[in-house]
Amino acid sequence: MASINISYLNPRTVILIGIPGLEHVQFWIGFPFFSVCLVALWGNIILLIIIPTERSLHQPMYIFLAVLAATDIGLCAAIAPKMLAIFWFRSYSMAFNTCLAQLFFIHALQCMESGILLAMAFDRYIAICDPLRHTSILTPSVLGRMIVIVAIRATVLVGLLPILIKRLHLFHSTVIAHSYCEHMAVVKLAAEDIQVNKTCGLFVGFTILGFDMIFILISYILIFQAVFRLRQKEARLKAFNTCTAHIFVFLEFYILAFFSFFSHRFGHVVPSTHILLSTIYLLVPPALNPIVYGVKNKVICKRVTQIFLLNHGSQQ
């Protein structure tokens, strides 16, 4: 029997099936992801309340942390509602243009997070290697320009991805084997030549994630050189302690990011495993970031305690 080739011309909707092979347990998988989203939203909202109101936190590192918190909230808002609707209510369909919008916001916010981590590494480098000039170098206007540059870079480069997808008209399927609209998952649906899309995806990934990771590593090599040149052990420990939170956040972000990035393009990972890990990569860092920085900073810890005690007292 001859096989039937079905093609779709300029599809208006796509179908997100969630996690292939795990459809029968997706309802239950939604609960831990929902819990992680709640922790991420609650933790980052608290950071956005505390940092602007606490004068002692009006420093470059915590200004960048506030931007990181806002980015993490945006990332949860971009991915969680539709993903949970798929898992709990079997709401699989999505308008094609809405899918491209989700794709743009998810990847742009990822790239913004990477850029903010680079800015935080630069702040740590100046604070440790040139502490006397720290406040004169990282002035409020410089911080503002850095944040704007990070946002523009992410918007312009990631904006190429949906634009290039829109030039594709013929698709062999409208079923996306994913829980959200990921770039390569959408591109692979096309029945046309997608080499330009693949090349652009790699270019954006390496230009942003690769560039940022290399310069963060260089920053920390220089930081460790400066720390180990300090004569007093206490001074070395204090300098290193100021970097531990950022190092932890940096490692969790980039290890998960590059695993997700390369497994989708070059690997032979089981689809369900890849989708679970890529979703964890998107949702777990936003939940961990406020916890890591909150535990490391006494002022944030104290204010969080006050907020919970105040809420507990008002309930009584």
Side-chain angles (χ1 to χ4, degrees):
M1 182 181 291
S3 61
I4 301 173
N5 293 322
I6 301 175
S7 297
Y8 300 86
L9 182 65
N10 296 324
R12 290 191 173 187
T13 60
V14 292
I15 305 297
L16 290 157
I17 64 172
I19 305 174
L22 296 179
E23 290 90 346
H24 59 293
V25 291
Q26 282 185 162
F27 180 84
W28 303 108
I29 291 173
F31 286 101
F33 280 134
F34 177 66
S35 301
V36 171
C37 287
L38 280 184
V39 171
L41 290 172
W42 181 242
N44 286 296
I45 287 170
I46 288 175
L47 285 181
L48 287 176
I49 293 170
I50 292 173
I51 292 172
T53 56
E54 185 62 48
R55 290 187 62 84
S56 63
L57 298 178
H58 293 180
Q59 303 172 27
M61 175 60 99
Y62 296 103
I63 292 171
F64 289 138
L65 180 58
V67 178
L68 189 66
T71 303
D72 286 340
I73 290 171
L75 200 52
C76 288
I79 184 174
K82 183 60 183 179
M83 181 186 70
L84 294 175
I86 293 168
F87 291 169
W88 289 345
F89 308 112
R90 299 184 179 181
S91 175
Y92 301 120
S93 66
M94 191 178 199
F96 187 71
N97 288 334
T98 305
C99 178
L100 294 184
Q102 187 193 48
L103 180 155
F104 168 77
F105 282 111
I106 288 174
H107 291 306
L109 290 166
Q110 283 178 288
C111 293
M112 274 198 67
E113 186 156 353
S114 177
I116 295 300
L117 290 176
L118 175 60
M120 294 169 89
F122 179 67
D123 168 72
R124 290 300 84 203
Y125 166 74
I126 298 296
I128 292 172
C129 297
D130 198 359
L132 297 178
R133 298 178 58 208
H134 183 242
T135 53
S136 62
I137 292 174
L138 292 177
T139 62
S141 62
V142 170
L143 295 180
R145 283 197 290 269
M146 290 172 71
I147 293 166
V148 169
I149 289 169
V150 166
I152 291 174
R153 182 188 68 161
T155 302
V156 171
L157 290 178
V158 175
L160 294 173
L161 304 182
I163 289 172
L164 288 175
I165 291 174
K166 286 293 285 184
R167 64 179 260 281
L168 302 171
H169 301 290
L170 197 61
F171 292 78
H172 61 73
S173 175
T174 58
V175 178
I176 301 174
H178 218 301
S179 56
Y180 62 90
C181 290
E182 196 269 346
H183 175 244
M184 282 307 299
V186 177
V187 166
K188 286 179 178 179
L189 300 180
E192 302 176 37
D193 183 15
I194 58 172
Q195 191 58 46
V196 173
N197 301 77
K198 286 183 175 180
T199 303
C200 185
L202 286 170
F203 171 76
V204 172
F206 281 112
T207 302
I208 295 180
L209 296 180
F211 174 90
D212 292 350
M213 188 185 72
I214 289 168
F215 278 90
I216 290 172
L217 289 173
I218 292 171
S219 296
Y220 273 104
I221 290 170
L222 297 173
I223 286 169
F224 288 146
Q225 287 177 347
V227 168
F228 288 124
R229 281 199 296 266
L230 296 173
R231 294 182 180 181
Q232 294 182 339
K233 183 180 178 181
E234 293 79 7
R236 288 200 297 269
L237 289 173
K238 185 178 179 181
F240 183 74
N241 192 49
T242 63
C243 300
T244 51
H246 183 261
I247 291 171
F248 179 84
V249 171
F250 160 70
L251 289 175
E252 48 135 347
F253 179 85
Y254 284 99
I255 289 172
L256 289 170
F258 276 95
F259 178 85
S260 176
F261 184 82
F262 285 112
S263 66
H264 210 307
R265 286 161 175 79
F266 309 114
H268 300 283
V269 181
V270 177
S272 58
T273 303
H274 165 74
I275 292 165
L276 278 172
L277 288 175
S278 63
T279 308
I280 287 169
Y281 152 61
L282 286 177
L283 295 179
V284 169
L288 287 180
N289 293 347
I291 295 172
V292 171
Y293 281 100
V295 169
K296 291 294 295 179
N297 186 275
K298 292 180 180 178
V299 176
I300 294 176
C301 265
K302 183 179 177 182
R303 288 297 303 273
V304 170
T305 304
Q306 288 173 347
I307 289 171
F308 278 105
L309 287 175
L310 185 64
N311 288 338
H312 181 69
S314 63
Q315 288 173 2
Q316 290 180 344

